[in-house]
Amino acid sequence: MKKLILIILSVITLSACSSINKQSEISQQLGIDISKATEVSNYDTHSGNGDGTSCIVLNFENEDAQIEKNPDWKQFPLDETAKTLAYGYEDETSSIGSFLQNDKGENLIPEIENGYYMLIDRQTDKTDNILERKSFNFTLGIYDKDSNNLYYCKLDT
């Protein structure tokens, strides 16, 4: 019985540490404190080799002014690169993306009209346009001012 209790406590402790580490990673990468945010959803297909797509949706109870004050966050509209990565692009002759989709082919980030965004290029070779690469390693943070939802999405290929 003691052994079972010890195992259960170990699992709970490891889960809590994992959650705290993820919170710390998000806060550090996006330059904001997310400790008071509530997790709405968590999608992750990263495998043992590190490739995959993830998107964590966090909700802030009130509009979070810290994003507005952070110069690394840009106000909408999204630039062409961020828009293509999140939603794709299509014209009469070609189409590309969306790069952030679930396993059913649905966009992980809904259409947002009013907010802020931050695109972090984590590729080691940043000499070319992110959309012209054969592999992707980026983080896209999008804050929806209307719903107070923060979308923290990563793609690693």
Side-chain angles (χ1 to χ4, degrees), residues 43 53-55 57 86 98-103 106-110 151 153:
Y43 176 84
T53 304
S54 63
C55 189
V57 182
S98 155
F99 294 88
L100 297 170
Q101 295 182 340
N102 64 21
D103 53 358
E106 302 164 332
N107 288 344
L108 292 170
I109 304 171
Y151 298 83
C153 300

Side-chain angles (χ1 to χ4, degrees), residues 54-117:
S54 63
C55 189
I56 298 172
V57 182
L58 302 167
N59 183 266
F60 291 88
E61 194 169 300
N62 297 311
E63 185 172 322
D64 202 316
Q66 65 178 322
I67 292 173
E68 294 175 2
K69 294 177 184 175
N70 186 322
D72 294 329
W73 285 82
K74 299 175 185 169
Q75 192 166 10
F76 270 48
L78 295 170
D79 66 25
E80 286 302 314
T81 301
K83 186 175 182 177
T84 301
L85 293 171
Y87 305 115
Y89 172 81
E90 187 173 339
D91 65 15
E92 304 81 37
T93 60
S94 64
S95 66
I96 185 172
S98 155
F99 294 88
L100 297 170
Q101 295 182 340
N102 64 21
D103 53 358
K104 297 176 185 172
E106 302 164 332
N107 288 344
L108 292 170
I109 304 171
E111 291 287 336
I112 296 171
E113 295 182 19
N114 187 22
Y116 292 86
Y117 72 100

Side-chain angles (χ1 to χ4, degrees), residues 4-157:
L4 179 61
I5 291 173
L6 202 55
I7 291 171
I8 292 171
L9 287 174
S10 296
V11 169
I12 291 171
T13 302
L14 289 174
S15 295
C17 289
S18 174
S19 177
I20 290 169
N21 289 340
K22 184 53 82 175
Q23 262 190 358
S24 177
E25 174 190 328
I26 295 170
S27 290
Q28 183 178 17
Q29 281 200 348
L30 299 183
I32 58 173
D33 178 14
I34 66 158
S35 62
K36 294 183 180 164
T38 304
E39 187 174 300
V40 176
S41 66
N42 189 338
Y43 176 84
D44 194 354
T45 65
H46 281 86
S47 61
N49 66 2
D51 288 349
T53 304
S54 63
C55 189
I56 298 172
V57 182
L58 302 167
N59 183 266
F60 291 88
E61 194 169 300
N62 297 311
E63 185 172 322
D64 202 316
Q66 65 178 322
I67 292 173
E68 294 175 2
K69 294 177 184 175
N70 186 322
D72 294 329
W73 285 82
K74 299 175 185 169
Q75 192 166 10
F76 270 48
L78 295 170
D79 66 25
E80 286 302 314
T81 301
K83 186 175 182 177
T84 301
L85 293 171
Y87 305 115
Y89 172 81
E90 187 173 339
D91 65 15
E92 304 81 37
T93 60
S94 64
S95 66
I96 185 172
S98 155
F99 294 88
L100 297 170
Q101 295 182 340
N102 64 21
D103 53 358
K104 297 176 185 172
E106 302 164 332
N107 288 344
L108 292 170
I109 304 171
E111 291 287 336
I112 296 171
E113 295 182 19
N114 187 22
Y116 292 86
Y117 72 100
M118 176 189 289
L119 176 60
I120 302 167
D121 186 355
R122 295 182 286 105
Q123 193 86 4
T124 55
D125 178 16
K126 298 179 184 182
T127 59
D128 57 347
N129 181 329
I130 193 171
L131 297 172
E132 296 173 0
R133 296 183 186 151
K134 294 179 181 169
S135 66
F136 299 94
N137 293 294
F138 68 85
T139 301
L140 181 61
I142 294 184
Y143 180 70
D144 182 349
K145 286 182 65 167
D146 296 327
S147 68
N148 297 323
N149 282 339
L150 172 68
Y151 298 83
Y152 173 80
C153 300
K154 292 173 70 172
L155 177 64
D156 298 292
T157 62

